[in-house]
Amino acid sequence: MFSPDGPVGGSAATRNTRRRQRTSSDDSMTLRGSTKRRKRSLLAPDTFEPTTKHRRDTGTSQVNGKATANGYAPEDGKRRDASVDTTSLAIRNRGGKRADREKRVTKSADGVEQTKNDNYIVEKDPNIPEILRDILSTEQWHSEISSTLGHAVAMTHTKAIIWQYKQTTLAAAISKPFVVVLPQQPAKTPAPLHPLPLGMLVHDSGAGQIALLVIMPVSGQVNYWESAKRAEQGDHIRQKQNGLQGTVGGLMSGETITRVTEAEPDGFVLTTSNGRLVHLSVKDSQGRPSISTQFLRSNSASSGSFFGTITSVFSAASWRRDIAAVRAGPLRGKSHRPCVVATAQGVFQVWDLVRHSSKTLVFEADAKEELFRSIQKSSSRLFRDEFKNDLSIIDFAVFPSPDGPSSTKDSHRLLVLTHIKEGRIGTYSLVDLRIGEGDVEIEVVHPVNCFYGGLYDENRWNLLKPRVLVPNPAQTAFVFFDTSIVIVSLAQIEESPSSQLQLESHSLPDPFQDTLYLRQDVEYHVVACSAEDADNDNGKAKCVFLVHGFGMARVTALPAKEGQTASDRSAVTVKSKVEQAIFFGGRENNLLDFNPGRSQFKIEAHELEAATLEINDSIMRSTSSYIPALNLSMDDQLYKRAEALANLIHFTQRWTLKPLTRWQLLWSAEKMAAARAIWHYYNAELSVPTDGSKLLLPELLDMVSEKYKKLNRPERGEGDIVRHYLINDVWRIELVIPWCHHAVEELYGEGVRDSAKLARLISEADDIQIRAMEAAFSFRTANFSRYGFDPTQLVDGIYQGSYETLPEIWTSIPENVIKVKALADMSRDTALKNDTTPTDEEAGVDIELLKKLARDNPSLVHICCQVYEERCRWLQSRPDARSKAEGEALYRTYLQVRKDLIVKIDELGLPDEGIKLAEKYKDMQALVDVIEQNTAHSLDRLAEPGISDTEDEELQDRVTTNRGLLESYFRKYGDDWADVLYTKTISRGEIADLFENVGGFQEFLTRHLRKRPEYSKISWINEVLAEKDYSRAARNLMESYKHDTNLWSRKVELSMGKLALMAAEEKGPRDNAEVATQLRRADRRLAIIEIQDQLYEYIEPALRSALDESAKADIVLTEFGHNTKKRPTLRSFMQKTMKALTAREALPLDDLIDTLTLINMHTRHTQSEQQFADRRFLLALKLLKLSGLRSTDLDRYGLHEKTIWRRCMIQDKWEDINRTEGTTDAQVIAATSSTTLFRTLKSGFEDGYFEEAPPLAPTTVLNAGTTPASLRASSRYAESSDSFLRGLAHDLEKEDRQLEAALEKGRLDQWWPSIVEAAMISVRDDADKAGMESAERQEDMRDLAVAMGVVATEEANGYEYANGHMNGDAAMDEEGDVLMG
């Protein structure tokens, strides 16, 4: 339908065929509706200029979109399949339900916030029409935004979609979006491969409407509608009637129009792919609609003297140009508008565009050298001179000015975006310069340090050509790249003494810079952007931009706060970066990517830790500006804070945070989970109708000390104490846990005594504590690995690793340990004791409430166990000994508390819950008690008369179940279970049941008994009856002997042990050597017991007069302790040993030896007593021999031996014996023979004892143990105190002085040899006498045998006797009696 004529005079116009065609002046097009005919103009000189194959960027000047969107499809080999939707725009999701809480977003006054900080804010513009989704999601497209009009247009091959994206005062504003169907292009190539049409919205001053300009890049066709709304109406014919059509003539072969720049009222500057400029006007000199074009030529250009003479870079000889950007300056007067053109090589041109008149090149300048030198000086990077060739201009913007135009007739202030290529990437800079005729003045260079990237690739259609925007108030520059946005502050740091010092020390901070990155996972990229006018009231610089796949958004640079300087805003803080990531990065449909891996902003671990903790604290205290303290929904406010904490740890996972920092973050998240659980409970309680009674939670929080909460101020409307606490004090919510119990106590003390009310309050306290603590521990369990900890180190919510570097854990503060248990006890006791029957004074407690208290108790017990265990572990990990000891003590308490609480659950009628908890903690003690207690209760109930059949059956089943559990636990827990069960059985004295009901678990019983020496008295029975292991039975009896103090029991155990050893010896040869050794050991031990028995028999007659046991020791000490009267240490020793001796306790061997040598003789005694007295020192020597000390501890042995002989020698008065005057030899012999020394020597010779240990001479036993040092040399006294040793040495020294007196005055040393000899002679004489008596007795026996007819006379003569025994058919015992039978 659109077939323009060939170019005439450089341009041609077409009009409705129904009207007459009229000609225009030179370089003009036919004016629709004109009644005056004009001659057609001549051909323009450049109509047939050579064509070029060189393609340029095809984006509009205002849009700078992708190449496909701006006119060119990819070349062969790089072209995308047109059937695949690669350029669709998902502007927004269609319809759908309201987003759930996981997709909640923050809304500002203008739109949905995508990010914000103190320097800028990014918002999604919600004013995107639904119609765009269907059209633009299936076609290739690009867009143009007119910020002055508040409208935007999206162009496809066939349509233009126009919509209003912000409110405007323009009367012709389009209230509803609409679609304009574009005229079809000539079918030279398939439509999808055509460059997209270029569209622009402008304000038509004549019509007062929003006008639409559409240009076909290849054909040059121009369509202009003074009212864009009228372009929508009707078919193509009516479109032509309502609009103006024409053609840009003079395009070379292959040359296309790449961008459109609005310039002068009703005029535009077109840029072609060959680098040529075309001025397009849509009005004639009379202001009537008319399309005319004119190629701009540089014949009249003048060069600036600063650069010397420059030949026209736009002359016919150098028409190939790479135009970086074209920008129109502010309108001067009514007809003059400057237009600045920049090439990539650094050449600037300034054109004066006069309305309906000539277009003059005012001047041109090559600024490349100056640009490079300035960048060299200002950049921190070292650029060598050869990098100048790699410098290129990418884009520029003309500075606006709120106080007036920054461009004058003679100069223009520009902000130029430059790029220096370095390998595959490069460095960008923003150069603030002023260009005038003959001069280029560079004012300041802003190196873009926050972004690095490669040069724009014009062959990549899907990349946006970088675009610089400087909106009013010209304090901030925005650089839009394809997938990122750079924000650079242009504010200058104020001159001050401090800034001057910083400048001189090269520490002056750079102006604020930051980079926003679009998400890559959804292929977001910028399609169009435009600067917006600053708000009149706050001076915020704004830019609006359109993003493929997202929609329209706005970035706003925020002004400095009051008192804030440019240097205060100079740095991007780590805290700001982290806050943006956690508060906005976690949203599913967010525009921006906060992945620190893409950013040039480097975050050090120590900076991150500090920022993370600061942000964490602000979230917990609700002081963060990103989360409103007040919210219609408290749950929503808590959720947002919990979500922010989750995002915080997710963001920091890229760094290795210190363990303590991660713990602090985890604890904060746990507290937030607890707070949410408390609120859910409280909110649910508020929705339940009540009788007007107050809930516990507000009362509880009101009781908390003002030191531990932020005060709410009712005068400021802060009357809701619960919401106020959850908003401000979640960071110390651990104080709520102990107050659950304490609040009930306080209310009871304030007069709340009604049982029903108290039960309700306790129930609420249960709910608060259970909800909070279970939420905290559950959160810890579910998220432990997320915070960088090993999940295998967490059991039941309790950390099993080291607590050494951790502060006190919030869940197990000391108050919790006390009050959690107290609440469990209170709740259980209330459930057990309360009466449901109402009285005159109070209503009965609701039975359902009591049942609830019972059901809550297992949860309370579980929490109590968790708190106790965590506290114990923390204390035990402390470095100081006091805390460790406290931890050990608390752990012992915990084990008892845990068992008691679990067992008492059965009292509530919940045995299964108690069993589950006991199984959970593998508390075998509690498990045994619960099952046995429940079984006993069931059996007692079964024994009661009158129970129903149903109850009887239930009780029988319960008993059967419990017995089955008892057996199953052997297989489940093995020895752990068996040990507790058998220990409890033995402690009750049920030994018979132990062996009778062992069932099929004999191996468990045997192992249990064998590994516990204290059970040796029982274990030997098991070895004999069940295992038939007599050797082990003997060992058990011997072990029992060691632990038994009763003398009689020891004797029995040794005797039975000896019997078992003999049985083992008879059973087989296995370990016969060991058995023989054990037998000898048993004999020795029995011999020691026999000596103590003899000692007891000696003192026993004195005990008959004792009234009680305590008097016996005193009597014996009085009767037999004369030798220790003046020896306090030995006296004390004798008092102790006599008490044990009279109690029939086994004395230690050392004590028994001393006792034998320290007792004195009876004043009256029987013959047997006399025999014991005569032999007591020899018995002491025999004990010493039985001890085996001679081979194991010679010092100890020597001290004992010398002490025995010394005490033996001082028993008699040798000074009296030495007075021999007037006495016969027989009297002397009788005197010496009656001494204790003589009797001891004689007994020793008779027994052959002195064959191995000869008696010690008196002089050799002197000084034995008379000093503390000599006593400590003996192992017996190695650990004794110095004071004890001094006292003992003093007592022994007295013995030594007695012996010295006997030596000096009684000449004992001289009597010694003759006494020894006399003792030996006496032994021989007694032996001879005994031999003669034995011979006579044998003779008598023979005569008796003959007389009795036992043997004949001749046979009797053949009998032989040896050692008192008859050698023949008859045997005799040791006494000489015949063994009959």
Side-chain angles (χ1 to χ4, degrees):
M1 78 171 204
F2 193 78
S3 301
D5 296 335
V8 178
S11 65
T14 59
R15 62 187 301 272
N16 187 353
T17 55
R18 297 180 182 178
R19 304 190 181 199
R20 291 180 299 169
Q21 183 171 344
R22 302 182 184 274
T23 60
S24 62
S25 59
D26 186 38
D27 287 15
S28 67
M29 300 184 67
T30 303
L31 175 64
R32 177 177 59 84
S34 175
T35 58
K36 186 175 180 180
R37 293 180 60 91
R38 296 179 180 273
K39 292 184 179 180
R40 182 176 299 179
S41 62
L42 299 176
L43 295 177
D46 59 350
T47 301
F48 300 104
E49 287 185 0
T51 60
T52 178
K53 299 294 183 181
H54 186 66
R55 295 179 174 178
R56 300 290 179 182
D57 173 60
T58 56
T60 64
S61 175
Q62 293 274 59
V63 179
N64 295 332
K66 298 175 292 186
T68 300
N70 295 321
Y72 269 96
E75 296 180 4
D76 292 342
K78 298 182 181 179
R79 183 180 300 133
R80 295 173 181 255
D81 188 348
S83 66
V84 181
D85 178 21
T86 58
T87 58
S88 63
L89 169 67
I91 296 297
R92 65 179 177 89
N93 294 330
R94 178 194 296 272
K97 296 181 179 180
R98 184 178 180 178
D100 57 16
R101 66 171 45 181
E102 281 71 25
K103 298 179 181 178
R104 293 174 181 169
V105 293
T106 304
K107 293 186 177 181
S108 66
D110 297 325
V112 180
E113 290 180 354
Q114 304 300 299
T115 190
K116 70 174 182 179
N117 57 23
D118 292 340
N119 296 312
Y120 58 82
I121 181 172
V122 180
E123 304 161 294
K124 180 177 182 178
D125 194 315
N127 299 317
I128 302 295
E130 182 70 22
I131 192 173
L132 289 178
R133 183 179 184 275
D134 294 331
I135 296 178
L136 300 184
S137 63
T138 57
E139 301 182 46
Q140 296 178 357
W141 65 282
H142 72 145
S143 183
E144 160 72 19
I145 301 173
S146 176
S147 59
T148 57
L149 301 178
H151 287 68
V153 57
M155 306 295 298
T156 72
H157 283 290
T158 59
K159 304 177 186 70
I161 302 95
I162 302 171
W163 75 96
Q164 181 182 7
Y165 72 87
K166 74 172 182 178
Q167 297 297 323
T168 178
T169 57
L170 191 65
I174 300 171
S175 59
K176 294 175 61 177
F178 62 91
V179 177
V180 176
V181 179
L182 301 179
Q184 295 182 359
Q185 299 187 69
K188 296 180 180 179
T189 57
L193 301 183
H194 287 175
L196 288 168
L198 305 178
M200 179 173 286
L201 297 174
V202 295
H203 181 241
D204 190 292
S205 57
Q209 300 288 325
I210 295 178
L212 172 63
L213 173 70
V214 177
I215 298 177
M216 300 300 177
V218 176
S219 64
Q221 295 175 4
V222 178
N223 290 270
Y224 180 77
W225 291 273
E226 293 175 301
S227 174
K229 187 65 176 176
R230 296 177 61 187
E232 177 196 20
Q233 300 171 356
D235 53 16
H236 293 166
I237 296 177
R238 296 195 56 185
Q239 278 186 339
K240 294 176 65 176
Q241 293 174 346
N242 296 332
L244 189 66
Q245 298 83 37
T247 303
V248 177
L251 294 177
M252 301 178 185
S253 176
E255 186 177 22
T256 60
I257 299 171
T258 58
R259 64 174 66 93
V260 179
T261 303
E262 182 184 4
E264 112 171 85
D266 309 322
F268 305 88
V269 175
L270 312 182
T271 304
T272 72
S273 57
N274 285 355
R276 296 197 297 167
L277 301 176
V278 180
H279 182 267
L280 168 66
S281 179
V282 294
K283 299 283 183 164
D284 62 12
S285 59
Q286 303 301 318
R288 292 171 297 187
S290 174
I291 294 178
S292 62
T293 62
Q294 178 182 351
F295 281 89
L296 302 184
R297 294 175 174 81
S298 57
N299 295 337
S300 60
S302 62
S303 301
S305 60
F306 179 83
F307 298 102
T309 303
I310 302 177
T311 57
S312 175
V313 294
F314 296 110
S315 64
S318 57
W319 54 265
R320 292 178 179 269
R321 298 177 299 274
D322 186 359
I323 296 178
V326 177
R327 299 286 179 265
L331 183 66
R332 295 200 303 270
K334 295 183 179 180
S335 58
H336 289 269
R337 190 167 191 180
C339 180
V340 183
V341 181
T343 68
Q345 292 74 28
V347 176
F348 291 89
Q349 280 189 334
V350 177
W351 291 79
D352 184 17
L353 305 179
V354 183
R355 186 176 185 181
H356 309 301
S357 181
S358 62
K359 321 300 178 190
T360 307
L361 177 61
V362 179
F363 62 84
E364 63 184 20
D366 188 347
K368 187 170 187 176
E369 180 71 25
E370 188 69 15
L371 286 171
F372 181 74
R373 296 304 175 194
S374 299
I375 294 172
Q376 260 188 329
K377 294 178 181 179
S378 61
S379 177
S380 60
R381 304 174 69 85
L382 298 177
F383 291 116
R384 299 185 301 274
D385 289 344
E386 53 265 29
F387 277 100
K388 182 175 68 172
N389 297 327
D390 296 317
L391 171 67
S392 57
I393 292 178
I394 306 302
D395 191 34
F396 73 92
V398 179
F399 266 97
S401 176
D403 302 324
S406 59
S407 296
T408 64
K409 179 179 179 181
D410 299 323
S411 66
H412 302 272
R413 185 184 176 194
L414 311 177
L415 186 67
V416 181
L417 176 65
T418 66
H419 179 271
I420 297 180
K421 185 177 180 182
E422 297 179 87
R424 299 181 61 183
I425 61 172
T427 303
Y428 288 93
S429 298
L430 288 172
V431 182
D432 183 349
L433 60 83
R434 185 174 293 275
I435 184 170
E437 185 172 0
D439 188 21
V440 172
E441 180 183 354
I442 295 180
E443 297 188 1
V444 64
V445 177
H446 303 277
V448 180
N449 299 319
C450 61
F451 180 81
Y452 297 95
L455 192 59
Y456 168 73
D457 185 359
E458 62 182 12
N459 294 319
R460 293 280 302 277
W461 58 267
N462 61 335
L463 290 182
L464 174 75
K465 188 176 185 296
R467 181 79 163 87
V468 180
L469 299 177
V470 185
N472 266 323
Q475 295 294 306
T476 307
F478 298 87
V479 184
F480 287 84
F481 294 89
D482 180 57
T483 58
S484 55
I485 304 169
V486 176
I487 304 173
V488 179
S489 173
L490 304 179
Q492 298 297 314
I493 296 178
E494 298 82 356
E495 291 187 7
S496 65
S498 59
S499 64
Q500 184 64 29
L501 291 174
Q502 287 178 316
L503 179 63
E504 294 175 357
S505 62
H506 304 286
S507 60
L508 190 67
D510 294 329
F512 171 81
Q513 294 184 8
D514 201 3
T515 303
L516 303 174
Y517 294 91
L518 274 57
R519 287 171 56 185
Q520 293 179 315
D521 55 335
V522 288
E523 297 184 357
Y524 286 160
H525 53 266
V526 179
V527 177
C529 57
S530 176
E532 292 189 306
D533 293 333
D535 297 337
N536 295 328
D537 55 343
N538 53 30
K540 296 178 182 178
K542 297 182 179 181
C543 289
V544 65
F545 57 102
L546 191 62
V547 179
H548 173 271
F550 179 80
M552 186 166 284
R554 180 177 287 102
V555 55
T556 304
L558 303 177
K561 297 178 181 178
E562 185 177 355
Q564 190 178 37
T565 64
S567 59
D568 296 333
R569 296 162 54 94
S570 60
V572 178
T573 64
V574 174
K575 179 185 175 185
S576 173
K577 283 293 184 182
V578 177
E579 284 178 328
Q580 291 182 74
I582 66 171
F583 289 110
F584 301 99
R587 297 176 183 170
E588 183 178 349
N589 297 321
N590 197 280
L591 168 66
L592 303 175
D593 182 3
F594 299 98
N595 182 356
R598 294 183 64 187
S599 175
Q600 298 297 322
F601 184 78
K602 301 304 178 184
I603 300 178
E604 299 296 336
H606 68 279
E607 297 176 320
L608 178 72
E609 295 221 11
T612 298
L613 292 176
E614 186 178 350
I615 294 169
N616 176 75
D617 186 66
S618 69
I619 296 171
M620 297 300 291
R621 297 171 185 262
S622 292
T623 57
S624 172
S625 61
Y626 296 93
I627 298 178
L630 291 179
N631 197 308
L632 294 178
S633 168
M634 188 70 234
D635 182 41
D636 185 57
Q637 202 264 1
L638 290 171
Y639 169 79
K640 289 178 179 178
R641 291 159 70 188
E643 185 182 42
L645 292 174
N647 292 339
L648 181 60
I649 189 61
H650 176 74
F651 178 82
T652 58
Q653 285 173 346
R654 299 172 179 85
W655 292 267
T656 303
L657 298 182
K658 295 177 182 177
L660 180 57
T661 301
R662 287 183 277 121
W663 273 111
Q664 290 172 319
L665 296 178
L666 175 60
W667 292 334
S668 294
E670 292 170 5
K671 291 179 181 181
M672 193 61 66
R676 294 187 67 201
I678 291 175
W679 172 254
H680 290 162
Y681 150 75
Y682 179 68
N683 196 43
E685 288 294 308
L686 289 175
S687 63
V688 177
T690 64
D691 57 359
S693 301
K694 292 183 179 180
L695 294 175
L696 177 64
L697 184 59
E699 296 286 334
L700 181 157
L701 295 177
D702 186 54
M703 293 178 187
V704 174
S705 172
E706 296 177 356
K707 296 186 298 182
Y708 303 118
K709 66 183 179 183
K710 184 177 181 181
L711 292 180
N712 59 322
R713 293 165 292 185
E715 67 275 9
R716 296 190 179 183
E718 299 171 352
D720 190 337
I721 190 171
V722 176
R723 284 181 168 85
H724 186 269
Y725 186 89
L726 294 178
I727 290 171
N728 299 287
D729 294 299
V730 172
W731 61 277
R732 48 187 170 189
I733 200 171
E734 63 270 19
L735 299 176
V736 172
I737 307 306
W739 269 94
C740 291
H741 175 266
H742 194 60
V744 178
E745 286 185 324
E746 288 287 318
L747 291 171
Y748 182 83
E750 292 174 4
V752 180
R753 303 297 173 87
D754 182 77
S755 298
K757 292 181 179 179
L758 284 174
R760 179 183 60 79
L761 291 173
I762 294 171
S763 174
E764 292 183 38
D766 289 353
D767 288 334
I768 295 170
Q769 181 172 289
I770 291 171
R771 300 291 181 88
M773 296 299 283
E774 285 187 348
F777 283 117
S778 297
F779 182 91
R780 183 183 299 173
T781 301
N783 297 275
F784 201 60
S785 60
R786 187 178 186 184
Y787 284 79
F789 301 112
D790 182 4
T792 62
Q793 289 285 304
L794 196 71
V795 178
D796 193 32
I798 306 303
Y799 181 51
Q800 306 297 305
S802 173
Y803 289 73
E804 186 174 355
T805 61
L806 299 183
E808 203 168 49
I809 316 300
W810 77 274
T811 45
S812 56
I813 58 176
E815 294 82 359
N816 282 1
V817 176
I818 298 170
K819 292 299 184 179
V820 167
K821 177 186 180 297
L823 183 59
D825 289 335
M826 179 188 287
S827 180
R828 181 192 62 253
D829 294 342
T830 302
L832 289 174
K833 296 178 181 178
N834 263 306
D835 190 358
T836 59
T837 305
T839 65
D840 294 337
E841 291 79 15
E842 59 183 38
V845 182
D846 183 10
I847 185 64
E848 293 302 323
L849 181 58
L850 296 181
K851 290 180 179 180
K852 176 191 176 296
L853 291 175
R855 291 193 303 270
D856 287 342
N857 200 253
S859 297
L860 293 173
V861 172
H862 181 209
I863 292 169
C864 182
C865 293
Q866 290 175 301
V867 171
Y868 259 96
E869 184 173 345
E870 185 173 73
R871 183 69 182 175
C872 291
R873 288 182 174 275
W874 184 81
L875 283 172
Q876 291 169 350
S877 69
R878 298 297 89 196
D880 59 295
R882 181 179 179 182
S883 295
K884 289 182 182 294
E886 184 182 349
E888 294 294 337
L890 184 64
Y891 184 71
R892 290 191 294 271
T893 302
Y894 160 58
L895 295 180
Q896 186 62 45
V897 166
R898 184 179 69 187
K899 182 179 82 70
D900 293 344
L901 290 177
I902 291 175
V903 172
K904 289 179 181 178
I905 292 176
D906 176 62
E907 299 176 11
L908 297 168
L910 302 170
D912 291 334
E913 282 70 13
I915 290 172
K916 287 178 182 177
L917 277 176
E919 288 179 344
K920 180 182 186 67
Y921 289 103
K922 297 182 180 179
D923 190 333
M924 301 298 109
Q925 293 276 0
L927 202 54
V928 169
D929 287 352
V930 170
I931 294 175
E932 289 189 345
Q933 178 177 285
N934 184 254
T935 302
H937 171 76
S938 300
L939 292 174
D940 291 343
R941 180 62 179 155
L942 284 170
E944 295 178 5
I947 64 173
S948 65
D949 293 340
T950 302
E951 185 180 2
D952 182 273
E953 183 177 355
E954 291 176 353
L955 291 171
Q956 292 285 3
D957 290 343
R958 184 77 238 181
V959 172
T960 302
T961 299
N962 289 343
R963 288 173 177 168
L965 288 173
L966 287 174
E967 295 182 0
S968 68
Y969 289 150
F970 280 101
R971 293 181 290 272
K972 185 174 183 179
Y973 298 115
D975 288 336
D976 292 340
W977 166 255
D979 291 344
V980 175
L981 180 63
Y982 290 142
T983 299
K984 198 168 185 64
T985 303
I986 294 171
S987 67
R988 291 196 299 260
E990 300 171 355
I991 309 301
D993 292 343
L994 186 70
F995 295 112
E996 291 175 3
N997 301 323
V998 69
F1001 306 105
Q1002 178 63 50
E1003 58 177 318
F1004 293 100
L1005 177 59
T1006 298
R1007 283 199 298 269
H1008 173 72
L1009 294 174
R1010 284 180 176 177
K1011 62 188 176 184
R1012 283 170 172 76
E1014 64 270 22
Y1015 291 160
S1016 55
K1017 281 188 177 182
I1018 305 172
S1019 181
W1020 73 270
I1021 302 174
N1022 182 69
E1023 299 297 343
V1024 172
L1025 297 179
E1027 303 297 335
K1028 309 299 181 184
D1029 191 338
Y1030 302 114
S1031 178
R1032 189 181 290 273
R1035 287 199 298 272
N1036 287 335
L1037 287 165
M1038 297 298 181
E1039 188 68 28
S1040 178
Y1041 157 85
K1042 294 178 182 178
H1043 299 283
D1044 209 331
T1045 59
N1046 184 270
L1047 192 66
W1048 182 87
S1049 298
R1050 279 191 160 198
K1051 189 172 184 179
V1052 172
E1053 288 159 355
L1054 285 172
S1055 299
M1056 295 181 68
K1058 185 176 179 180
L1059 184 64
L1061 287 170
M1062 295 170 68
E1065 189 176 34
E1066 183 181 345
K1067 186 177 180 181
R1070 183 170 63 95
D1071 296 332
N1072 274 349
E1074 175 64 21
V1075 170
T1077 302
Q1078 293 292 335
L1079 281 170
R1080 289 192 297 272
R1081 184 178 294 117
D1083 287 337
R1084 287 196 301 271
R1085 290 172 176 173
L1086 285 169
I1088 294 171
I1089 292 174
E1090 178 62 27
I1091 292 174
Q1092 184 170 339
D1093 277 339
Q1094 292 180 39
L1095 175 60
Y1096 182 79
E1097 291 174 2
Y1098 178 69
I1099 67 171
E1100 192 272 335
L1103 302 178
R1104 295 170 187 170
S1105 61
L1107 297 177
D1108 53 28
E1109 292 296 326
S1110 61
K1112 289 182 179 181
D1114 295 335
I1115 291 173
V1116 172
L1117 187 62
T1118 302
E1119 183 74 20
F1120 300 98
H1122 296 296
N1123 292 335
T1124 61
K1125 279 187 177 180
K1126 295 183 180 180
R1127 302 170 191 177
T1129 303
L1130 291 176
R1131 184 77 172 180
S1132 176
F1133 163 78
M1134 281 292 288
Q1135 189 175 17
K1136 181 185 69 172
T1137 56
M1138 287 303 176
K1139 185 177 181 181
L1141 184 63
T1142 57
R1144 301 296 284 153
E1145 295 180 2
L1147 294 177
L1149 190 62
D1150 295 306
D1151 294 354
L1152 184 56
I1153 292 173
D1154 281 335
T1155 303
L1156 285 169
T1157 58
L1158 287 173
I1159 60 171
N1160 54 270
M1161 293 289 292
H1162 268 302
T1163 55
R1164 302 172 188 172
H1165 48 74
T1166 63
Q1167 184 178 0
S1168 61
E1169 291 173 346
Q1170 181 63 51
Q1171 290 177 351
F1172 173 79
D1174 292 343
R1175 292 177 58 84
R1176 59 194 174 99
F1177 286 99
L1178 181 61
L1179 292 176
L1181 290 170
K1182 285 186 175 182
L1183 286 175
L1184 186 58
K1185 181 179 179 181
L1186 291 171
S1187 69
L1189 290 174
R1190 189 171 187 177
S1191 59
T1192 59
D1193 193 341
L1194 193 57
D1195 290 335
R1196 190 169 182 173
Y1197 176 86
L1199 180 59
H1200 269 305
E1201 186 181 30
K1202 291 179 180 180
T1203 303
I1204 293 170
W1205 281 111
R1206 181 172 62 194
R1207 288 173 180 171
C1208 177
M1209 293 173 183
I1210 63 176
Q1211 294 299 309
D1212 300 290
K1213 297 181 180 180
W1214 290 100
E1215 185 178 355
D1216 295 342
I1217 296 172
N1218 188 52
R1219 295 193 185 100
T1220 58
E1221 60 272 13
T1223 59
T1224 64
D1225 286 344
Q1227 290 176 325
V1228 173
I1229 293 172
T1232 56
S1233 299
S1234 63
T1235 62
T1236 301
L1237 178 60
F1238 177 85
R1239 291 169 183 164
T1240 301
L1241 288 170
K1242 182 179 178 181
S1243 298
F1245 286 125
E1246 286 177 344
D1247 292 349
Y1249 177 81
F1250 297 136
E1251 293 178 2
E1252 295 182 10
L1256 300 180
T1259 55
T1260 62
V1261 299
L1262 286 170
N1263 302 319
T1266 57
T1267 62
S1270 61
L1271 288 172
R1272 196 175 294 280
S1274 170
S1275 60
R1276 181 185 182 185
Y1277 302 113
E1279 302 299 328
S1280 300
S1281 66
D1282 292 339
S1283 60
F1284 171 78
L1285 292 181
R1286 285 194 297 270
L1288 180 59
H1290 184 264
D1291 289 351
L1292 295 179
E1293 189 178 5
K1294 291 180 179 180
E1295 294 180 358
D1296 222 42
R1297 287 199 294 269
Q1298 285 183 268
L1299 180 58
E1300 288 175 351
L1303 291 171
E1304 181 180 348
K1305 297 181 180 180
R1307 296 188 297 174
L1308 177 59
D1309 56 335
Q1310 297 178 28
W1311 287 101
W1312 170 255
S1314 59
I1315 294 173
V1316 173
E1317 183 180 2
M1320 296 174 66
I1321 292 172
S1322 178
V1323 170
R1324 285 198 298 271
D1325 290 346
D1326 289 346
D1328 290 344
K1329 183 179 179 180
M1332 292 176 65
E1333 291 176 353
S1334 178
E1336 292 176 358
R1337 187 166 56 251
Q1338 290 179 18
E1339 185 65 27
D1340 292 342
M1341 290 289 293
R1342 184 181 60 182
D1343 293 343
L1344 179 62
V1346 172
M1348 294 177 63
V1350 176
V1351 295
T1353 302
E1354 60 276 10
E1355 292 175 344
N1357 293 332
Y1359 275 82
E1360 295 180 1
Y1361 297 87
N1363 297 325
H1365 296 280
M1366 186 168 59
N1367 221 2
D1369 295 333
M1372 300 178 69
D1373 62 11
E1374 293 180 354
E1375 302 295 333
D1377 298 325
V1378 178
L1379 298 177
M1380 304 304 292

